[in-house]
């Protein structure tokens, strides 16, 4: 195993990535890879459909970028790229990808590029159907607090630094491992965390059984002597732990059901509007972990991060202090503002279990006020498969506005709309397919003291400021 002390890892830059061109460079995963490449001295170019904050930031760091994806973008470079990096979202018909193949430029998947950047480091990968961004972020912030200066790549921006990736000098690389397309099977971590395993992304995996299998394959990617950390409270993750242990993999579990000698047993959780405290027994001692983000699911994520940090050589006291300082991730119950007595938050939850867990936490934060959720379903396939489950989760709110489906990479499916969910919600609900009137509709619904949360993985995140502006306008006109 590589030494995890500061400065142990050299800034490895694979030769194939010395002149990397990233298609869709403004995305969360791609922009993070670009930041690490730039920090390691690579020439980075790339393109995205339009200008964005991410492009402006990368351009300021020295990247050569194009707004618009065209084959002739390569003609604007002094030398051809050594590799073109793409994600699963980039289709073969993309003109830039087609031009790269025609010119014989090697094409790498985003995960292959990230795996190359992991070389020479001790790698911790965080996977799971949900919770992986928050858990990866917690581990990163806690390790930074312990002065281990990890490299990291996360699918969201840390509130502490506003960054989703960083090249560190500490010999550790922390990465969010995405199961949606199976590309996390490219990695070979020394520490792997699996927060939960519930069927999702069936548009790619096809069946629930195939989805579960890819996590088993991921556990099999651990380097010899590596550690698998699983949540004992989640049936899918717990079964994965059983299978891995039977195959000779070292396993540690966490949660209320984790009672083994090497486990982190959750003794209690005390919620509070500004977070909560979870008490655990681990390695023969009891500890209290304060978490500044609400919800027992977030406390469990913190315990997972603690176990990973301990495996990487961080002290338990330093990890606890770092986790207490964790300020959250953008789009994970992110406070957007207040208009009078109404608070507005934004959250990325887009799977029924995530929605339910977050709304339970929101209920605590709301105090005596009502919870109003503006939900945008993400993907037609997910909406069709989980309409009943989404409705059940949304019924934990006091009032619901359901928008139409954000299709992302999928083509529309006849008959699959947000109405499939709205018609099954058991609390007052309004289905509003017209996005441009959603802010006004939400303003009609809310009362003083309410907490509003816009929720989903699509462009629903744009509505928070619009709702606040509409509420302020109505107050001014009153």
């Amino acid at each position: 195993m590589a030494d995890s002390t500061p400065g142990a890892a050299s800034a490895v830059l694979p030769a194939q990535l010395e002149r990397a061109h990233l298609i869709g460079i403004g995305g969360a995963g791609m922009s993070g890879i670009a930041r690490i490449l730039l920090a390691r001295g690579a020439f980075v170019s790339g393109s995205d459909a339009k200008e964005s904050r991410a492009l402006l930031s990368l351009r300021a760091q020295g990247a050569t970028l194009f707004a618009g994806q065209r084959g002739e973008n390569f003609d604007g470079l002094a030398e051809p790229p050594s590799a073109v990096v793409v994600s699963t979202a980039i289709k073969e018909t993309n003109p830039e990808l087609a031009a790269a193949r025609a010119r014989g430029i090697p094409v790498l998947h985003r995960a292959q590029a990230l795996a190359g950047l992991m070389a020479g480091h001790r790698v911790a990968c965080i996977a799971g159907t949900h919770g992986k961004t928050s858990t990866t972020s917690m581990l990163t912030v806690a390790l930074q607090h312990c002065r281990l200066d990890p490299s990291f790549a996360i699918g969201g921006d840390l509130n502490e630094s506003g960054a989703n990736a960083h090249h560190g000098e500490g010999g550790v690389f922390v990465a969010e491992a995405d199961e949606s397309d199976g590309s996390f099977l490219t990695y070979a971590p020394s520490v792997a965390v699996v927060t939960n395993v519930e069927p999702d992304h069936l548009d790619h995996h096809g069946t629930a059984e195939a989805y579960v299998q890819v996590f088993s394959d991921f556990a099999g990617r651990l380097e010899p002597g590596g550690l698998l950390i699983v949540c004992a409270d989640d049936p899918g993750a717990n079964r994965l732990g059983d299978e891995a242990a039977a195959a000779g993999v070292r396993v540690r579990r966490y949660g209320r059901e984790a009672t083994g000698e090497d486990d982190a047993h959750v003794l209690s959780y005390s919620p509070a509007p500004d977070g909560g405290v979870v008490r655990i027994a681990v390695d023969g001692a009891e500890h209290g972990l304060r978490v500044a983000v609400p919800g027992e699911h977030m406390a469990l994520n913190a315990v997972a991060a603690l176990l990973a940090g301990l495996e990487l050589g961080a002290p338990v006291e330093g990890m606890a202090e770092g986790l207490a300082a964790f300020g959250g991730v953008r789009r994970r119950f992110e406070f957007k503002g207040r208009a009078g007595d109404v608070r507005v938050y934004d959250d990325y939850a887009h799977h029924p279990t995530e929605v339910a867990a977050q709304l339970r936490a929101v209920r605590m934060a709301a105090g005596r006020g009502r919870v109003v959720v503006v939900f945008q379903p993400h993907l037609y396939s997910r909406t069709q498969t989980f309409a009943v489950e989404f409705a059940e989760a949304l019924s934990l709110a006091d009032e619901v506005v359901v928008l139409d489906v954000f299709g992302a990479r999928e083509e529309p499916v006849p008959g699959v709309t947000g109405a499939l969910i709205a018609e099954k919600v058991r609390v007052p609900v309004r289905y509003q397919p017209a996005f441009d009137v959603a802010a006004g509709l939400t303003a009609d619904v809310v009362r003083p003291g309410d907490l509003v949360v816009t929720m989903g993985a699509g462009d629903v995140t744009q509505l928070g400021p619009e709702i606040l502006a509409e509420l302020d306008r109505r107050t001014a006109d009153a």
Side-chain angles (χ1 to χ4, degrees):
M1 289 185 182
D3 188 359
S4 62
T5 56
S10 60
V12 175
L13 179 61
Q16 199 171 27
L17 294 173
E18 289 179 353
R19 295 184 60 83
H21 183 90
L22 285 66
I23 302 177
I25 197 170
M30 298 291 268
S31 62
I33 291 173
R35 288 189 174 92
I36 296 173
L37 285 169
L38 288 165
R40 295 193 186 179
F43 176 85
V44 175
S45 60
S47 66
D48 214 342
K50 59 183 179 180
E51 289 287 352
S52 65
R53 184 179 67 178
L55 264 63
L56 291 173
S57 174
L58 291 171
R59 194 176 282 121
Q61 295 174 58
T64 299
L65 303 178
F66 304 93
Q69 295 171 350
R70 299 173 292 272
E72 53 267 31
N73 284 345
F74 295 121
D75 298 329
L77 303 175
E79 297 180 45
S82 54
V84 167
V85 182
V86 299
S87 69
T88 304
I90 303 301
K91 298 180 179 180
E92 285 294 327
T93 54
N94 180 283
E96 221 164 87
L97 176 56
R101 294 201 186 281
R103 298 181 187 209
I105 301 172
V107 176
L108 299 178
H109 188 276
R110 174 178 62 86
Q112 292 174 302
L114 188 57
L117 295 174
M118 291 174 176
H121 294 76
R122 194 169 183 205
V123 177
C125 285
I126 315 300
T129 309
H130 20 261
K132 49 187 173 286
T133 299
S134 295
T135 307
T136 310
S137 303
M138 288 176 174
L139 175 58
T140 298
V141 170
L143 291 175
Q144 289 174 330
H145 183 84
C146 295
R147 302 187 184 279
L148 293 181
D149 189 23
S151 295
F152 64 86
I154 306 172
D157 292 343
L158 294 175
N159 285 348
E160 282 80 3
S161 63
N164 64 344
H166 166 72
H167 166 63
E169 299 291 344
V172 170
F173 201 119
V174 179
E176 180 176 342
D178 181 15
E179 87 289 355
S180 65
D181 57 1
S183 62
F184 68 166
L185 298 181
T186 306
Y187 311 136
S190 56
V191 183
V193 175
V194 175
T195 55
N196 37 59
V197 180
E198 292 187 68
D200 196 9
H201 301 292
L202 300 187
D203 57 315
H204 174 83
H205 295 285
T207 66
E209 292 76 16
Y211 181 82
V212 171
Q213 181 60 45
V214 80
F215 280 95
S216 295
D217 296 341
F218 174 65
R221 293 286 300 167
L222 274 164
E223 68 177 27
L227 174 67
L228 176 65
I229 299 169
V230 298
C231 181
D233 297 351
D234 178 77
N238 199 41
R239 280 194 297 271
L240 176 66
D242 289 342
E243 293 173 5
V249 175
R250 194 159 53 97
V251 177
R252 296 192 79 175
R253 304 170 201 257
Y254 63 96
R256 293 184 183 272
E257 301 299 321
T259 56
E261 183 178 343
D262 294 327
D263 294 346
H265 178 48
V266 172
L267 303 172
S268 66
Y269 172 72
S270 302
D274 59 349
V277 176
V278 58
R279 291 205 62 80
I280 63 171
V282 62
D283 293 339
E286 288 191 19
H287 302 275
L289 296 180
R290 181 171 295 279
V291 184
V293 285
E296 186 168 354
H297 63 299
M298 285 295 189
L300 282 172
N301 292 341
V303 179
L306 174 71
L307 285 182
L310 295 180
E311 178 68 11
L312 293 169
V316 64
E317 296 82 4
M319 287 294 297
E321 292 173 1
L323 291 168
F326 174 70
V329 186
R330 289 178 182 170
R331 295 228 59 212
R332 272 66 176 182
F333 198 53
E334 179 186 2
F335 181 62
K336 305 302 292 186
R338 180 189 294 269
D341 291 332
V342 177
R343 291 172 290 160
V344 177
Y345 291 79
D346 182 47
D347 195 85
Y348 191 70
H350 56 282
H351 182 280
T353 302
E354 293 173 343
V355 172
Q358 196 56 56
L359 286 178
R360 292 188 188 99
V362 169
R363 174 68 63 193
M364 177 60 63
R368 296 184 178 181
R370 299 187 314 151
V371 173
V372 177
V373 59
V374 183
F375 180 69
Q376 182 186 54
H378 184 257
L379 299 181
Y380 296 98
S381 58
R382 186 182 284 130
T383 302
Q384 189 172 34
T385 302
F386 297 116
V388 173
E389 291 83 355
F390 274 124
E392 188 68 20
L394 290 168
S395 296
L396 294 171
D398 295 295
E399 191 136 5
V400 179
V401 175
V402 178
L403 308 179
D404 219 344
V405 180
F406 185 85
R409 60 185 178 271
E410 294 183 344
E411 296 297 325
V413 175
V416 179
T417 70
L420 284 180
I421 296 171
E423 65 189 16
K424 298 176 179 66
V425 174
R426 294 181 288 99
V427 298
V429 59
R430 306 186 190 198
Y431 168 55
Q432 179 49 262
F435 189 88
D436 58 345
V437 301
L441 174 61
T442 305
D444 291 339
V445 167
V446 300
R447 307 171 188 167
D450 284 356
L451 187 155
V452 178
V453 56
T454 57
M455 187 172 282
D459 56 3
V460 67
T461 185
Q462 300 172 11
L463 284 182
E466 295 183 19
I467 293 168
L468 290 165
E470 180 63 20
L471 291 171
D472 284 335
R473 185 189 65 77
R474 296 186 183 194
T475 300
D477 292 345

